[in-house]
């Protein structure tokens, strides 16, 4: 039995990452309609708008969906209180310790998975009482642990010390990546870059095209000596930040101009290394259907090898 599917109610163990300003009802409902688990972001800090997006989801889909609570970026308890009363049954937490959030979320009957970049963070989260983990390897886009550990290694390291269900995040955009993650102990996968560049994503076409044009070396890890450390697409602006070593204070000031205006030098376009594997804008439904088919084809081939005790 797949524990993530039991916890989330989703048809397929494929999660859309909670990208700030992007992971709202249009994208999340499309993912849910395709059988995955759409997640509504709250990291933008636009509390009233995010609350409205959560309510809008109930009108757009009858499928289950989730909400992300980025602990460090929440101004107050307004979003936590709202979610506990909203009827949402699945929450991911991130960016800080989930300890003080567990009791109210569990009291509201909500399943909680916490995002972790290290074994130590995983153990602390399990001790705090989370139901599962989102294991974030360094290949992924957005906020990163400056001490880079790949998803390939991190899944194995965390599975050695705990048996809670894991969602693999970072470096996954298709059925091949999904099969690899499951081989290492994951019970679901989370994708950001693949869904940022999908047809239902609200971002400007220039942003999607930049992902499609990127090579496997098309991202940079920025601000490793400060906070936040992030992975973003290579541009003139991000190359200058990488060379300088630190992000200037205005790095995110014009993020909307990049996301929705298409000016790729206005800010930093967050993306993971899978940008080098993505070469087409496709619908969420097509992405998920092909992932599931490819995953099962690979699993079938591997199962046949195991049955035959062969490697051919």
């Amino acid at each position: 039995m797949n524990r993530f599917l039991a916890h989330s109610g989703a048809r397929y163990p494929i999660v859309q990452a909670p990208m700030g300003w992007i992971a709202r009802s249009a994208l999340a409902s499309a993912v849910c309609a395709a059988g995955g688990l759409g997640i509504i972001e709250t990291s933008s800090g636009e509390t009233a708008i995010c609350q409205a997006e959560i309510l809008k989801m109930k009108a757009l889909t009858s499928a289950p969906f989730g909400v992300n609570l980025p602990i460090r970026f929440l101004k107050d308890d307004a979003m936590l209180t709202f979610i506990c009363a909203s009827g949402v049954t699945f929450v991911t937490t991130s960016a800080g310790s989930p300890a003080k959030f567990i009791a109210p979320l569990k009291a509201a009957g909500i399943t909680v998975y916490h995002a972790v970049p290290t074994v130590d963070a995983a153990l602390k989260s399990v001790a705090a009482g989370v139901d599962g983990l989102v294991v974030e390897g360094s290949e992924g886009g957005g906020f990163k642990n400056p001490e880079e550990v790949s998803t390939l290694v991190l899944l194995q390291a965390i599975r050695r010390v705990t048996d809670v269900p894991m969602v693999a995040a970072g470096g996954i955009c298709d059925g091949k990546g999904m099969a690899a993650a499951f081989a290492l102990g994951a019970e679901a996968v989370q994708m950001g870059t693949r869904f940022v560049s999908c047809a239902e994503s609200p971002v400007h076409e220039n942003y999607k095209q930049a992902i499609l044009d990127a090579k496997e070396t098309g991202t940079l890890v920025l601000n490793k000596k400060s906070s936040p450390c992030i992975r973003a697409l290579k541009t003139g602006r991000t190359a200058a930040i990488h060379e300088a070593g630190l992000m200037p204070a205005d790095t995110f000031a014009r993020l909307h101009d990049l996301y929705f205006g298409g000016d790729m030098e206005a800010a930093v376009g967050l993306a993971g290394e899978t940008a080098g594997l993505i070469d087409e804008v496709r619908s969420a439904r097509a992405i998920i259907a092909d992932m599931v088919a490819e995953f099962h084809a690979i699993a079938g081939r591997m199962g046949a090898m195991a049955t035959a005790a062969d490697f051919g």
Side-chain angles (χ1 to χ4, degrees):
M1 179 180 178
N2 184 296
R3 292 176 291 176
F4 168 80
L5 293 180
H7 281 154
S8 68
R11 181 180 179 188
Y12 300 127
I14 299 171
V15 185
Q16 160 246 305
M19 299 83 67
W21 289 278
I22 299 169
R24 293 188 172 176
S25 59
L27 176 57
S29 64
V31 171
C32 290
L37 188 73
I39 303 283
I40 297 294
E41 64 86 15
T42 64
S43 59
S44 60
E46 297 177 343
T47 303
I49 292 175
C50 291
Q51 289 174 347
E53 290 293 304
I54 292 167
L55 295 176
K56 195 180 295 184
M57 284 292 288
K58 296 177 182 294
L60 291 173
T61 180
S62 59
F65 66 94
V67 177
N68 173 253
L69 288 172
I71 295 158
R72 189 176 302 131
F73 301 114
L74 297 176
K75 306 169 192 174
D76 51 40
D77 290 337
M79 188 57 74
L80 174 64
T81 301
F82 177 85
I83 290 172
C84 288
S86 69
V88 169
T89 60
F90 190 92
V91 162
T92 62
T93 52
S94 56
S97 169
K100 70 174 184 177
F101 282 56
I102 295 297
L105 290 169
K106 289 298 191 76
I110 297 172
T111 297
V112 184
Y113 278 43
H114 188 65
V116 296
T118 64
V119 171
D120 286 346
L123 289 172
K124 289 176 183 177
S125 299
V126 171
V130 300
D131 299 291
L133 300 169
V134 179
V135 176
E136 294 191 329
S138 59
E139 301 97 320
F143 298 101
K144 297 285 95 183
N145 178 13
E147 294 182 304
E148 299 175 55
V149 183
S150 73
T151 305
L152 180 73
V153 170
L154 194 57
L155 285 169
Q156 296 179 76
I158 291 175
R159 180 49 78 230
R160 285 183 174 185
V161 297
T162 180
D163 189 44
V164 300
M166 300 187 299
V167 179
I172 300 162
C173 69
D174 55 23
K176 299 181 189 72
M178 184 176 175
F182 271 57
L184 298 173
E187 293 178 53
V189 297
Q190 177 174 285
M191 302 190 299
T193 306
R194 176 65 276 194
F195 284 129
V196 170
S197 58
C198 82
E200 295 87 355
S201 169
V203 303
H204 195 279
E205 293 305 313
N206 289 356
Y207 190 178
K208 296 181 186 183
Q209 191 61 48
I211 291 172
L212 269 55
D213 291 342
K215 299 178 180 180
E216 76 282 0
T217 55
T219 62
L220 293 167
V221 177
L222 308 175
N223 215 41
K224 291 185 71 169
K225 295 182 180 180
S226 186
S227 181
C229 175
I230 63 170
R231 183 182 292 280
L233 289 167
K234 279 184 181 177
T235 62
R237 185 183 183 100
T238 58
I241 293 171
H242 188 261
E243 180 67 23
L246 293 172
M247 291 194 298
D250 66 349
T251 297
F252 297 102
R254 295 180 56 211
L255 198 59
H256 275 229
D257 291 337
L258 187 153
Y259 280 4
F260 309 114
D263 182 353
M264 295 304 296
E265 296 293 344
V268 291
L270 305 180
E273 292 180 343
T274 56
L277 300 175
I278 298 167
D279 55 14
E280 184 182 5
V281 172
R282 309 185 71 211
S283 69
R285 186 173 296 278
I287 290 167
I288 290 175
D290 282 358
M291 278 188 73
V292 171
E294 186 174 43
F295 171 85
H296 284 136
I298 292 169
R301 182 169 60 84
M302 300 297 283
M305 283 194 286
T307 299
D310 191 13
F311 296 97

